Amino acid sequence: VQLVESGGGLVQAGGSLRLSCTASGITFDDYGIGWFRQAPGKEREGVACISMSSFNTFYRDSVKGRFTIANEYGKNVVYLHMDSLKPEDTAVYYCAADHRPNGLEHCLISATTYEMWGQGTQVTVAS
């Protein structure tokens, strides 16, 4: 099982990026999928998550209204659309998967909830 993030890069403040999380070896149907980030010298923090059974989402306050987590129907991918990026959004972004075979009504952005992690993709926002 492998999670792979892509779509990171360098962008000017106010710009946009779309991160993708794909998986091999699993299908996302029975999972909660979360996006996390870790800036240099800081702890990893949850950014957003989506339940792939209920499609409920959750965001940390600092990204509400700017970031959108979404799946694509029929495809084993979850996106993180990031708009109005700020320098403080600079970090390595990780996707993670939380297996819930009995379904998941509300996802969490607590890192300890997730058992599978990708390698991360760097997002750098220049001021």
Side-chain angles (χ1 to χ4, degrees):
V1 177
Q2 186 177 16
L3 298 180
V4 178
E5 305 94 337
S6 62
L10 173 64
V11 64
Q12 294 294 314
S16 299
L17 283 174
R18 187 183 75 169
L19 305 183
S20 301
C21 175
T22 58
S24 59
I26 61 170
T27 56
F28 282 160
D29 295 359
D30 297 328
Y31 285 80
I33 304 298
W35 282 98
F36 294 79
R37 66 187 180 187
Q38 188 166 19
K42 295 188 177 181
E43 293 188 357
R44 188 172 298 190
E45 63 182 18
V47 175
C49 64
I50 182 170
S51 163
M52 298 301 286
S53 52
S54 70
F55 301 107
N56 287 327
T57 58
F58 185 84
Y59 299 88
R60 71 179 299 110
D61 286 347
S62 62
V63 307
K64 285 180 180 177
R66 300 189 299 122
F67 290 11
T68 304
I69 188 170
N71 67 306
E72 184 170 349
Y73 180 76
K75 294 188 177 181
N76 206 38
V77 61
V78 170
Y79 300 109
L80 185 68
H81 299 267
M82 305 186 295
D83 296 320
S84 302
L85 282 161
K86 304 175 181 180
E88 51 263 44
D89 295 317
T90 295
V92 177
Y93 282 71
Y94 301 89
C95 71
D98 169 26
H99 190 208
R100 296 296 184 104
N102 295 322
L104 177 66
E105 185 66 23
H106 297 288
C107 59
L108 301 172
I109 52 171
S110 170
T112 56
T113 302
Y114 295 81
E115 64 266 21
M116 286 177 280
W117 292 82
Q119 293 300 305
T121 185
Q122 176 70 47
V123 172
T124 303
V125 184
S127 58

